[in-house]
């Protein structure tokens, strides 16, 4: 009953592993919201979201990111248009210990496919916190804010 969610996350995982900000961001719905360390941030436009995504993925690359794999822990299919998916990520890095963390994705189906409209980072990995904070600072220092 997952209505294509597994295939969606296969594509999302590929975009993330490629550190492709355009492909990753294309899977987000607007407005897009993240909750990180109890703080919510909303991006209303792709002009703000894309640079923040690129900043985070660029930071991952600087940390020796090689690839990311995931396991679907839970799928809550709310109806045919809304779902919540809990993933456990494992990030392999060059000459460093892997990162493992959980992230919850809130999705809605549009006319074409699923889109992520909300991300809740619930496992804190100290090293990753720096990259997420940098991406959030990018949003808050963008023109017009």
């Amino acid at each position: 009953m997952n209505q294509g969610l597994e295939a969606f996350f296969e594509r999302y995982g590929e975009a993330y592993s490629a550190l492709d900000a355009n492909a990753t961001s294309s899977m987000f719905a607007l407005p897009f919201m993240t909750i990180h360390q109890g703080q919510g941030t909303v991006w209303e436009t792709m002009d703000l979201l894309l640079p923040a995504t690129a900043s985070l993925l660029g930071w991952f690359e600087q940390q020796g990111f090689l690839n990311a794999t995931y396991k679907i822990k839970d799928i809550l299919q709310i109806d045919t248009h809304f779902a919540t998916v809990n993933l456990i990520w494992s990030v392999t890095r060059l000459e460093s210990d892997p990162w493992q963390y959980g992230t919850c994705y809130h999705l809605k189906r549009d006319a074409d496919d699923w889109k992520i409209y909300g991300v809740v980072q619930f496992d804190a990995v100290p090293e990753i916190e720096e990259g997420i904070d940098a991406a959030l600072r990018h949003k808050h220092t963008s023109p017009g804010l």
Side-chain angles (χ1 to χ4, degrees):
M1 180 175 147
N2 70 36
Q3 306 269 336
L5 288 164
E6 289 178 10
F8 172 84
F9 276 105
E10 285 178 30
R11 292 188 310 276
Y12 183 77
E14 289 169 5
Y16 176 49
S17 275
L19 300 177
D20 185 335
N22 288 315
T24 301
S25 295
S26 75
M27 302 178 110
F28 298 147
L30 294 172
F32 177 80
M33 184 176 122
T34 61
I35 298 177
H36 169 71
Q37 295 182 341
Q39 297 291 322
T41 303
V42 176
W43 285 269
E44 297 286 341
T45 68
M46 195 54 71
D47 289 343
L48 297 174
L49 180 57
L50 181 58
T53 303
S55 173
L56 179 61
L57 296 178
W59 183 87
F60 283 167
E61 184 174 32
Q62 292 171 1
Q63 305 310 304
F65 181 102
L66 295 174
N67 68 13
T69 58
Y70 65 89
K71 291 183 182 175
I72 296 176
K73 185 174 178 184
D74 298 300
I75 295 176
L76 174 59
Q77 184 86 39
I78 298 165
D79 62 23
T80 58
H81 296 288
F82 291 94
T84 297
V85 179
N86 182 355
L87 299 184
I88 304 299
W89 287 97
S90 181
V91 173
T92 305
R93 300 181 300 149
L94 184 65
E95 300 178 15
S96 297
D97 292 334
W99 290 323
Q100 288 199 332
Y101 58 94
T103 305
C104 191
Y105 296 86
H106 302 287
L107 299 102
K108 62 182 178 179
R109 182 188 288 279
D110 66 13
D112 300 318
D113 199 0
W114 289 100
K115 297 281 186 176
I116 300 167
Y117 69 88
V119 174
V120 179
Q121 183 74 37
F122 60 87
D123 279 344
V125 177
E127 294 173 78
I128 293 176
E129 300 300 308
E130 182 183 327
I132 293 171
D133 289 343
L136 292 175
R137 278 193 308 275
H138 187 278
K139 191 256 185 202
H140 294 296
T141 59
S142 295
L145 294 180

